[in-house]
Amino acid sequence: MEGDSQMCRNCKRSVASAHLALHEAHCLLFLVLCPECKEAVPQEKMDEHCRGGHQQVGCAMCQQSLPKHSLEVHEATECQERPVECKFCELAVRLSKVELHEHHCGRRTKLCPGCGQLFMLHVLAKHRDVCRGEQARLQEGERIPAPESNICCDYCNQMIPGNKYFDHLSPTAPALQGASLTSPAFPDRL
């Protein structure tokens, strides 16, 4: 089987079962495990590894002290001060601050290129998927209902569903056309 693997008794790495005998023969001849870090190191470089690899160094981003051999992994995957990219503005932000940054950055608004409406960045990607689907349906000739919204009527101060607003205005507006906004019909605007 291709996925079948076993652990080398010397370096403790997972090796395909078909290659285990050859790997272990090579490994036992040339590699030894460092007693301190358990890393497989060529025999002739063990002294150099112990002198230089276990030297304590400081992380340039968080100032944490750690063995030299661990620095690369720490800086790439563990350090909380390593730079990561904001998913909204692509700015490099420290990992420890990215959540707060994205919370504020995602509240900025941007126009949807599909429908021209303003959306906060943290919902724009989800909206674009919906908007693209609606644009495709429109191109196929399918009618899409407008989103429900309420509009405050200037004449009666009631909230009217957006799709009923013009129907509401036609009987109301002519009756009030002669009334000014400072008349008794609008006592709150005097």
Side-chain angles (χ1 to χ4, degrees), residues 131-156:
C131 190
R132 282 187 197 116
E134 288 177 354
Q135 296 298 326
R137 287 173 32 205
L138 278 174
Q139 288 173 353
E140 293 171 4
E142 188 177 329
R143 296 192 73 177
I144 299 172
E148 289 298 318
S149 62
N150 291 329
I151 300 171
C152 182
C153 176
D154 289 330
Y155 299 108
C156 67

Side-chain angles (χ1 to χ4, degrees), residues 105-121:
C105 192
R107 288 183 168 21
R108 293 182 302 124
T109 57
K110 187 174 181 180
L111 286 176
C112 170
C115 65
Q117 293 185 36
L118 277 175
F119 287 92
M120 284 193 258
L121 294 177

